[in-house]
Amino acid sequence: MRIRLDPWPVDIEGGQLTLKDFNGEIQDVETPRWAAIPARPIPERLRQVFVVDGKRRMESRLFIEDDHGQSGLGGFGAYVVGAVELCPHGTRQAELRAVKAARILAHAPDLRIDPMTLSPRHPHTGQLEYTPVPMTGTDALAALNVLQQHMLAAEQNLSHDLASRVPADDQDDREWLSALTVQDGTLRGRNLNGAVVGCVKTMETMYLPADRASLLSELKPGERTPVMRMTYSNGQFTRLIWYVRLCEAAFYQHPMAGVMRLEMFAPDDPSFLPPIVRQVANLSGTLLRRLGSHAHKDPRAPQNLIPTAALEQAMGRSMGSADLVTRRIRAHIAGLQGVA
Amino acid sequence: MVLGTQDVTPVSFWFAVLPGASVQLDDLVAVQTRKPDGSFVNFYGIVDHVRTRHEGVTFDSDVQDVAAGLLPASVSYAARVLVTRVNPENFIPPQPGDGVRHARGDDLRMALSADKMGEKAFPGGLLADGQVLPVNYRFVNGENGGHINISGISGVATKTSYALFLLHSIFRSGVMGTGASAGRALIFNVKGEDLLFLDKRNREVESREAQAQAQKGLPDHRYALMGLPVEAFRDVQFLAPPRPGSAGAAIVPHVEQRGEGVTPFLYSLREFCARRMLPYVFVDRDASVNLGFVIGSIEERLYRMAQPSAGGTADTPYLTVEDWQPDTEQVLDEDVRFDEMGSVRISTFAQLVAYLEYKLLDANDGEGDRKWVGKQSPATLQAFIRRLRGVQKHLTPLVRGDVSADQAARFRPDPLKPGVQTTVVDIHTLSATAQMFIVGVLLRDLFEHKERVGRQDTVFVVLDELNKYAPRDGDSPIKDVLLDIAERGRSLGIILIGAQQTASEVERRIVSNAAIRVVGRLDLAEAERPEYRFLPQSFRARAGILQPGTMLVSQPDVPNPVLVNYPFPAWATRLDEVDDLQGKKVEEVGEDWLY
C-alpha cells in the first residue's frame, strides 16, 4: 500500500488530490518535443516585477427602504487590490503599491441611494465612505457578486497597467520585457495585452492528456514544461499555459506538490508565440523559486509567494478591522434612527 | 506623530518618527493636543528610548527577504517620551496622531522650565542638540534648595571637572547678580596636583573646543554658546601643607609642580587646643564609647589650658605647662625646652602627646592625674594615647608651636580672606587621617563663621570622595560637620558640591539633601541602587556608557534628568597644560619682555 499526503492544509477545500479532466483543446505552440526545459536566469532588462492580488469582504447585508417608498436588498462591502513592486535582481526594497480599500454599498437596481459617509465618534480615526452600486440580480448573493466583480476588474486593471505590453503578432516588436506582473490566481476575461502571468496555486483540472501528465512528477525544481496553447471547450478563452516546479515534493507528499500552472493571455494568431511569453516562461522557474515561501511561514508554501503573503496582510489591514466597521455601521444606523 | 498602538499617558508616550526625520535619545520634544472644548494643552518631554523595527513582518528571518527585496516591509522608527512638563496643568493624555516637534526656542525654555527660573538660570552644559541647559540658581544657593551631588566612576566620570565647570558658570555667568564677587569657593584637592593650576589658562582649550565644535556641528564654540568667558579662575589662593621637616626648619609648601603662588598652612598648637580640634584627630570615634568620653574631657582640659588667663601664660603659638617633668631621654629626643620659670614649653605635637601621656598614665606613679583621668579605665586611656601616637607623625607638620606668633597668623588657613574668591586646599600629600583633620577643621570653622555672619557671601565647598568623609555607616566628627552643612548649610550660605564614586556608600542624608544631582559614568550594579532612583530606568542603563565630558543632570524644576556635555576646562588641570603665553600671541609676550 502507498499513501501520500495532500500538500495543502486540510481546511483548504478540495485540496490537490482530485483533478478533473479537461475537455477543451491543447496544442503545442513552443515545441512538439515534450520534455522538461531548464530555468534560465532573469534577464537584466527586466527591472520591475509586480505581484498583484485582491481581497474582498462583505461587511453587512442590508434591507434598504429608500426615501421614495422602494425597498430591496443590499450590502456594505469593501474590496482592496494592491501590488508589491520588487526588483527581481534584489537591488531595491520591495514596496507596497496602491494598496487602498474601496467601499461600496451594493443595492437593488431600482432603489435611489446617496453615497454614505460613516463618521466616527472620535475625530482621530477617519471616515468610511460607501459608493452606491446597483446589483445585477436580486438573490442573496448578488451583493457579494457585485463586490467580486469590482474587485476582479480592479485587479485586472492594476495588473495590466503596471506590466510591459505584449506584442500581438510577428510584426509587433516594439517593446521589451521590462516590467512583469505576477497575478495571483487564474487570468480572467478577455485578452489584455500586458505581460501578466497568472499563477494557479491549486490545480483542479488536469489539462494534459494522460501520456504527458507523468512529466509533471519528473520535473526538477525550476524546470518547466513547454508552453502550450489551451482553448476552453466553449471556444471562448484561449491561454498560453505551462507548468513549473518550485520545489521537490517531500517523500510523504503527492508527487505533484510544488508544481504550479502558469498562464498568460494568448494572441489571436494561434501559431504565434510572443517572444515575451517565452521569456517569461524561461525565467518563471528562477523567479518563482526566489519568491516562493517556506513551509514554516506559510501553510501553502512554496506556491503562496512571499510578496503575496505580505500583500494579503496589508490588504486585510487596509480594509480595517471587521468588528470595528460593523460596530461603526450599527452606530451609524442608530444615529440615523435617533437612538443614539 | 503620537502612536496609537501604545498607551498614551500624560507622563509618557511613544511617537512615530516620519521618514526623513531623525530623533536621538535626550532630544527634547513638544506636543500640542486639543481638548474637546477647543483649548490646547502643551506637553514637553525628553526622549528616553528610540527604536526601529520592521513593521508588517511576522518572523525574525523575514529580515532576509526584506533585505533581498522580496518582502515589502516598512521600517517603524519610534521614540518614547518622558513628559517633563504639562502646560497648562491638565493631565489629559495627548491623542494618537498629534504632531510631535523638536523643542527649540520657547518650547525648549518651557520644556526645561527655564521660564520659571527667569534670570536665576545659569548654564549647566549643552544638550545633545547643542542647546543650553539652564540650571536654576535658586536651587543652588539655598533659596529654594541647595547643594550639588555628583556621582560617577573615577577618571571616566570626571566629577571634579564638572564641579569646577559649574563653579565657573556660577561665578562668570552673572547669575549671582551684583554680588558676584561675594561668592566664594573652597575646593579640596584630593588627587595629584590637578587643581593647583586653576588660575592658569589651558593651552589646549582652543583646539579642543574647535574640535568639539566641528564634531558636533555647533554654530560656535561651547563657551560662547553658553555665554561664558574662556578664562581661568580669578582671585585664587592655593594652600598646601608645609613640607615635613625638623622643628624650626623653613616653612615651605609641600608641592612638587607649582613653584610659586602656593601658601603653606598650619595651625598653632595653641589654636589646636583653644579651638577644640582634638576630636577631628579621631576619625573612628565610635570604635569605643568610652573613648568618646575621654576625647571630650581631654578636649575640655586642653581648651582650658590654652586660655591665656589660665596659668597666666602669654598668647603664644606654643603652650607652657608647669606640672611636667619630662624624662631626661625625652628631653634629649624631643628637644623639650624649659624656660626661666621652670615651666616646660610644649612646642610640637609630639610633645603634646608626651604631655598627655604623662598626665593620663605616668603621673602619680602610674595612676595619672586624677583630674585628667576621671573615672576612665587605664585600658581606655592607653587606647587614647595609642591612637594619638599613631597620628602624631601625620599631624606634626600641621600643628606646631615652633613658629612665631606672626608666622602662625600668616599661615593660618583662611578661605574667607579678602580679595580671594577661590581657595584651593591641597591635601593630596597628606595621610588619610591628616586629610580628615584638615577637612573637618576647615569646614567646622567655616560653618561656625557662617553661623555668626549669616547667609550673605555664599561659599561653595567642593569636596571629592564624600564616601571617605561621610560614610554611610559609622560616626565621626567630620561626618557631623558635613551633615550640619548638608542639613543647615544652605540657610547659612554654605553650599556643598560633593562628589563620590558611589552614592550608595555616602550618608544618605547628605545625598538626599542635594537639590541638584549629577551622574556621570556609573558601574551598572551601582546604578541599580536606590540612591539612583531619581533616574528613570532607561537612564540608569545608560549611565553605564556615558563618555567623559557627559553628565546626567537632575534638578527639581525638571522632573527627568537631562544629558549634557560640558566644555573642556579653560583652566589648566596639569602643569603641561599651562598656557605660558596667557592666551596672548608669542609676539605680544615678546614685546612685554623687551620693553
Side-chain angles (χ1 to χ4, degrees):
Chain A
M1 186 171 67
R2 201 166 178 204
I3 298 177
R4 307 285 188 89
L5 303 187
D6 181 351
W8 287 162
V10 283
D11 54 351
I12 290 179
E13 225 173 285
Q16 236 198 316
L17 300 180
T18 55
L19 290 171
K20 288 182 290 195
D21 285 335
F22 176 60
N23 49 13
E25 193 188 333
I26 287 283
Q27 56 195 111
D28 291 324
V29 64
E30 186 180 17
T31 165
R33 189 171 161 270
W34 187 245
I37 299 174
R40 301 269 187 81
I42 298 167
E44 276 301 312
R45 204 177 289 126
L46 179 62
R47 302 303 304 171
Q48 289 172 301
V49 169
F50 297 94
V51 178
V52 169
D53 200 1
K55 208 170 180 172
R56 59 165 168 73
R57 182 173 76 199
M58 242 3 247
E59 295 180 330
S60 200
R61 276 195 289 270
L62 311 169
F63 180 75
I64 308 171
E65 292 165 292
D66 71 7
D67 298 337
H68 305 273
Q70 302 283 333
S71 64
L73 294 180
F76 283 124
Y79 68 90
V80 54
V81 296
V84 172
E85 180 188 345
L86 53 92
C87 169
H89 311 291
T91 56
R92 288 194 306 273
Q93 282 273 317
E95 277 174 47
L96 291 167
R97 290 272 296 263
V99 182
K100 192 164 186 301
R103 298 195 130 77
I104 61 172
L105 166 51
H107 60 85
D110 42 359
L111 298 182
R112 277 182 272 175
I113 309 278
D114 295 323
M116 270 181 111
T117 302
L118 273 54
S119 298
R121 279 190 198 160
H122 206 283
H124 290 273
T125 49
Q127 297 181 325
L128 301 181
E129 289 180 16
Y130 288 90
T131 315
V133 176
M135 311 187 298
T136 43
T138 50
D139 62 74
L141 286 178
L144 184 62
N145 290 339
V146 169
L147 189 62
Q148 176 81 358
Q149 284 157 21
H150 269 75
M151 183 197 78
L152 290 179
E155 194 179 315
Q156 205 75 284
N157 288 338
L158 181 64
S159 294
H160 288 269
D161 286 350
L162 294 171
S164 300
R165 307 290 96 191
V166 176
D169 53 47
D170 284 328
Q171 272 70 49
D172 194 349
D173 58 350
R174 61 197 151 144
E175 196 151 3
W176 301 99
L177 177 66
S178 62
L180 171 68
T181 300
V182 178
Q183 187 179 305
D184 199 51
T186 176
L187 302 176
R188 291 148 192 120
R190 287 187 314 281
N191 191 3
L192 297 162
N193 62 356
V196 178
V197 58
C199 300
V200 183
K201 291 193 287 272
T202 312
M203 283 185 278
E204 289 168 353
T205 306
M206 176 46 74
Y207 294 90
L208 299 178
D211 57 331
R212 288 187 165 192
S214 61
L215 179 62
L216 297 187
S217 311
E218 292 158 16
L219 288 175
K220 300 269 178 299
E223 286 183 343
R224 66 174 175 94
T225 66
V227 178
M228 296 158 286
R229 186 183 173 92
M230 174 265 280
T231 313
Y232 281 98
S233 54
N234 57 13
Q236 213 178 354
F237 300 131
T238 50
R239 302 271 192 274
L240 294 170
I241 66 164
W242 67 96
Y243 289 88
V244 63
R245 177 177 278 282
L246 301 191
C247 67
E248 269 327 333
F251 68 92
Y252 52 81
Q253 281 178 331
H254 189 276
M256 293 230 327
V259 177
M260 213 169 172
R261 178 166 61 87
L262 303 185
E263 57 179 50
M264 289 180 78
F265 284 112
D268 296 335
D269 178 356
S271 62
F272 175 56
L273 175 64
I276 280 189
V277 174
R278 188 194 288 261
Q279 275 181 30
V280 172
N282 280 339
L283 64 84
S284 60
T286 313
L287 178 68
L288 292 176
R289 286 189 69 203
R290 188 173 293 170
L291 300 187
S293 189
H294 303 281
H296 68 283
K297 298 186 180 181
D298 195 322
R300 290 189 289 167
Q303 276 98 319
N304 212 29
L305 306 179
I306 293 170
T308 309
L311 187 57
E312 280 176 349
Q313 215 178 29
M315 289 190 299
R317 203 163 51 224
S318 79
M319 286 193 288
S321 152
D323 289 348
L324 291 178
V325 170
T326 319
R327 218 182 292 170
R328 184 86 68 85
I329 291 171
R330 273 206 303 268
H332 182 75
I333 292 169
L336 286 182
Q337 297 183 352
V339 179
Chain B
M1 281 191 212
V2 176
L3 283 188
T5 45
Q6 308 269 353
D7 283 354
V8 184
T9 70
V11 292
S12 163
F13 59 84
W14 285 84
F15 70 93
V17 184
L18 300 181
S22 130
V23 163
Q24 57 171 335
L25 291 179
D26 310 309
D27 277 349
L28 288 152
V29 295
V31 178
Q32 187 173 58
T33 198
R34 197 184 152 136
K35 294 213 297 181
D37 64 7
S39 61
F40 291 99
V41 179
N42 290 295
F43 297 84
Y44 304 94
I46 186 165
V47 174
D48 88 318
H49 201 84
V50 282
R51 64 134 175 90
T52 54
R53 64 186 304 164
H54 269 152
E55 203 173 45
V57 303
T58 323
F59 298 94
D60 290 345
S61 58
D62 284 344
V63 66
Q64 294 163 10
D65 289 336
V66 173
L70 300 177
L71 182 65
S74 50
V75 173
S76 129
Y77 182 172
R80 185 173 66 193
V81 175
L82 293 179
V83 174
T84 55
R85 189 161 180 202
V86 182
N87 184 46
E89 286 204 321
N90 276 323
F91 289 96
I92 59 165
Q95 296 293 312
D98 284 340
V100 178
R101 59 189 194 279
H102 205 130
R104 296 193 174 282
D106 284 346
D107 280 345
L108 181 82
R109 290 173 55 75
M110 289 296 284
L112 295 173
S113 297
D115 58 318
K116 284 195 244 168
M117 301 180 196
E119 74 278 15
K120 284 294 184 189
F122 68 93
L126 288 181
L127 302 172
D129 56 3
Q131 305 184 81
V132 180
L133 168 77
V135 178
N136 194 344
Y137 185 58
R138 291 194 194 90
F139 281 104
V140 175
N141 72 349
E143 199 172 321
N144 292 350
H147 309 308
I148 299 172
N149 189 273
I150 307 176
S151 311
I153 296 177
S154 245
V156 195
T158 52
K159 307 178 286 290
T160 319
S161 307
Y162 189 64
L164 289 177
F165 167 75
L166 283 180
L167 269 186
H168 178 71
S169 181
I170 291 169
F171 285 162
R172 299 286 166 256
S173 65
V175 71
M176 297 178 82
T178 47
S181 59
R184 289 165 185 278
L186 171 59
I187 304 172
F188 290 97
N189 178 36
V190 294
K191 211 171 47 200
E193 294 188 7
D194 296 0
L195 302 182
L196 292 185
F197 302 99
L198 284 188
D199 58 340
K200 305 283 187 209
R201 210 181 144 86
N202 193 321
R203 71 164 83 202
E204 288 176 30
V205 62
E206 250 117 47
S207 62
R208 294 291 280 267
E209 281 308 296
Q211 198 185 331
Q213 181 185 343
Q215 222 169 46
K216 294 176 190 281
L218 301 174
D220 204 341
H221 65 83
R222 291 182 283 191
Y223 282 98
L225 290 175
M226 289 187 276
L228 295 174
V230 188
E231 60 176 30
F233 278 78
R234 294 186 209 149
D235 307 325
V236 190
Q237 68 166 338
F238 295 96
L239 302 178
R243 201 175 281 278
S246 60
I251 297 168
V252 290
H254 189 184
V255 289
E256 302 295 337
Q257 296 182 8
R258 189 170 170 135
E260 39 76 46
V262 184
T263 318
F265 67 88
L266 49 84
Y267 289 102
S268 74
L269 212 47
R270 182 175 297 276
E271 276 176 309
F272 178 81
C273 300
R275 288 166 64 188
R276 300 171 182 274
M277 296 183 191
L278 182 67
Y280 297 94
V281 173
F282 296 91
V283 185
D284 50 349
R285 190 177 59 179
D286 62 335
S288 140
V289 181
N290 291 342
L291 204 54
F293 292 120
V294 177
I295 294 167
S297 72
I298 304 294
E299 177 194 328
E300 182 62 29
R301 287 270 154 210
L302 289 177
Y303 170 73
R304 280 195 225 158
M305 205 170 84
Q307 296 308 307
S309 54
T313 47
D315 189 10
T316 52
Y318 51 85
L319 299 165
T320 43
V321 290
E322 289 160 7
D323 51 350
W324 187 28
Q325 282 87 44
D327 301 341
T328 352
E329 287 169 40
Q330 237 167 9
V331 172
L332 294 175
D333 274 2
E334 299 186 354
D335 195 21
V336 176
R337 291 203 306 208
F338 298 87
D339 66 10
E340 305 79 30
M341 310 288 287
S343 57
V344 181
R345 177 186 289 190
I346 299 176
S347 58
T348 66
F349 192 72
Q351 285 162 2
L352 182 68
V353 177
Y355 174 67
L356 288 176
E357 187 174 4
Y358 167 76
K359 292 299 269 181
L360 294 177
L361 299 172
D362 294 345
N364 270 348
D365 295 331
E367 294 283 304
D369 185 334
R370 198 152 298 145
K371 283 190 201 149
W372 285 66
V373 170
K375 289 199 171 63
Q376 301 299 335
S377 75
T380 313
L381 298 174
Q382 271 161 3
F384 173 80
I385 295 297
R386 209 167 44 240
R387 275 158 205 264
L388 264 190
R389 284 273 178 224
V391 299
Q392 172 188 322
K393 185 180 93 191
H394 305 301
L395 291 186
T396 303
L398 292 169
V399 180
R400 30 209 298 185
D402 58 346
V403 292
S404 66
D406 176 44
Q407 280 177 316
R410 187 147 53 91
F411 295 141
R412 181 180 303 133
D414 180 14
L416 301 174
K417 201 158 128 185
V420 170
Q421 184 170 42
T422 304
T423 303
V424 178
V425 181
D426 177 39
I427 51 174
H428 86 279
T429 51
L430 298 177
S431 69
T433 340
Q435 286 188 352
M436 307 276 264
F437 173 75
I438 293 298
V439 171
V441 170
L442 272 174
L443 290 184
R444 199 265 319 258
D445 284 356
L446 180 66
F447 193 74
E448 285 175 1
H449 169 79
K450 295 295 275 182
E451 273 184 323
R452 288 195 302 276
V453 302
R455 61 174 295 172
Q456 74 265 25
D457 290 16
T458 307
V459 180
F460 297 94
V461 175
V462 179
L463 182 58
D464 200 353
E465 300 186 25
L466 268 186
N467 48 325
K468 199 159 107 188
Y469 300 101
R472 159 147 299 187
D473 304 314
D475 212 351
S476 76
I478 296 155
K479 184 171 165 182
D480 292 345
V481 173
L482 284 169
L483 264 177
D484 265 346
I485 291 181
E487 290 177 342
R488 297 197 295 131
R490 76 178 178 90
S491 56
L492 300 173
I494 305 184
I495 303 305
L496 180 65
I497 304 182
Q500 68 282 320
Q501 285 198 40
T502 48
S504 61
E505 290 170 10
V506 177
E507 167 61 39
R508 200 175 45 77
R509 282 146 71 200
I510 290 183
V511 179
S512 63
N513 264 300
I516 293 177
R517 298 191 205 176
V518 182
V519 169
R521 167 93 68 96
L522 285 183
D523 177 57
L524 282 178
E526 169 73 10
E528 290 303 323
R529 293 180 188 273
E531 283 72 22
Y532 302 94
R533 284 285 152 78
F534 66 92
L535 295 175
Q537 183 58 47
S538 54
F539 282 82
R540 272 180 256 160
R542 280 180 61 210
I545 56 168
L546 292 180
Q547 291 300 308
T550 309
M551 294 288 192
L552 290 167
V553 179
S554 165
Q555 55 175 325
D557 273 343
V558 186
N560 285 304
V562 183
L563 182 121
V564 297
N565 66 78
Y566 59 94
F568 192 74
W571 46 91
T573 57
R574 288 195 310 269
L575 179 60
D576 56 2
E577 279 179 355
V578 171
D579 184 357
D580 300 325
L581 308 179
Q582 290 292 314
K584 286 185 254 179
K585 289 200 170 68
V586 178
E587 297 79 38
E588 292 174 34
V589 176
E591 279 178 26
D592 289 350
W593 275 89
L594 286 172
Y595 305 106

